Amino acid sequence: DVANGIIGHFGLGFYSAFMVSKKVVIRSLSYKEGAKAVEWSCDGSPEYTMEETDKAARGTDVILYLDDDSKEFLEQARVDTLLKKYCRFLPVPVISGKEQEWKEGKMVDTDRDNVINATEPLWTRKPADLKDEDYLHFYHELMPGMEDPMFWIHLNVDYPFNLTGILYFP
């Protein structure tokens, strides 16, 4: 597949971070024994710096210094909306903060991660394993405020091409 061969090769996805940021810093520490942490920093120009830094835990931190025009992306609700829109069906869990619950007159964080996506979407499952409630819940997640659909068709075609999906009829 040509698209899969292109994605990630030109850095355009990462470069989009500069659409909302005046500066991006990446700090990374390898899992390898004796590795030194590295920090890369750039303001969107062709110039960047890379130097050793202190970082105790392995992994990578991506830090965006948002432009004044992009402060809306500091709001948790705005971030969650975007993640649900663009990451809803990624095959790995996408975590955005902690789940919240009402306690003593206000919303407070719990110790449970707030996973915003379904790593096993309904259309990838066997229709025999699903109930009408599953289909309706999924529909209302995608189309909040809509009435129940009249009916739906769970597609699973494997010849002459592979196609899976759920077609809803409002």
Side-chain angles (χ1 to χ4, degrees):
D1 181 67
V2 174
N4 287 336
I6 292 174
I7 293 173
H9 284 273
F10 300 106
L12 296 177
F14 177 74
Y15 186 70
S16 67
F18 292 104
M19 292 174 66
V20 295
S21 304
K22 55 189 169 199
K23 179 181 173 183
V24 176
V25 174
I26 300 174
R27 292 188 189 114
S28 189
L29 177 61
S30 172
Y31 70 94
K32 294 180 180 177
E33 187 78 27
K36 299 202 186 293
V38 177
E39 178 178 292
W40 177 91
S41 178
C42 182
D43 63 4
S45 71
E47 304 294 320
Y48 64 90
T49 62
M50 189 164 354
E51 54 195 29
E52 285 186 16
T53 189
D54 293 326
K55 182 169 173 22
R58 78 178 192 188
T60 301
D61 301 324
V62 179
I63 303 157
L64 304 178
Y65 292 83
L66 295 181
D67 284 328
D68 291 337
D69 301 4
S70 303
K71 297 292 187 198
E72 67 183 280
F73 298 109
L74 295 173
E75 299 167 18
Q76 188 67 45
R78 177 73 168 127
V79 171
D80 288 350
T81 299
L82 289 169
L83 288 173
K84 285 177 184 170
K85 182 175 181 178
Y86 295 109
C87 303
R88 184 182 297 256
F89 302 116
L90 287 178
V92 295
V94 175
I95 298 169
S96 179
K98 297 291 185 182
E99 288 184 10
Q100 292 192 321
E101 62 185 29
W102 189 258
K103 195 173 192 178
E104 298 176 14
K106 61 181 178 178
M107 293 299 284
V108 295
D109 287 349
T110 65
D111 59 349
R112 298 181 307 273
D113 288 335
N114 182 29
V115 180
I116 60 97
N117 64 322
T119 57
E120 213 178 276
L122 225 57
W123 67 83
T124 64
R125 297 170 53 194
K126 295 177 185 170
D129 297 341
L130 299 169
K131 296 180 170 66
D132 286 353
E133 295 82 36
D134 298 320
Y135 288 105
L136 291 171
H137 177 74
F138 182 64
Y139 179 77
H140 288 297
E141 257 187 23
L142 296 175
M143 308 295 291
M146 295 287 289
E147 292 182 22
D148 287 352
M150 289 191 303
F151 63 96
W152 53 87
I153 299 171
H154 193 136
L155 303 168
N156 192 353
V157 177
D158 58 6
Y159 184 82
F161 53 86
N162 191 339
L163 172 69
T164 58
I166 302 170
L167 184 58
Y168 287 96
F169 293 83

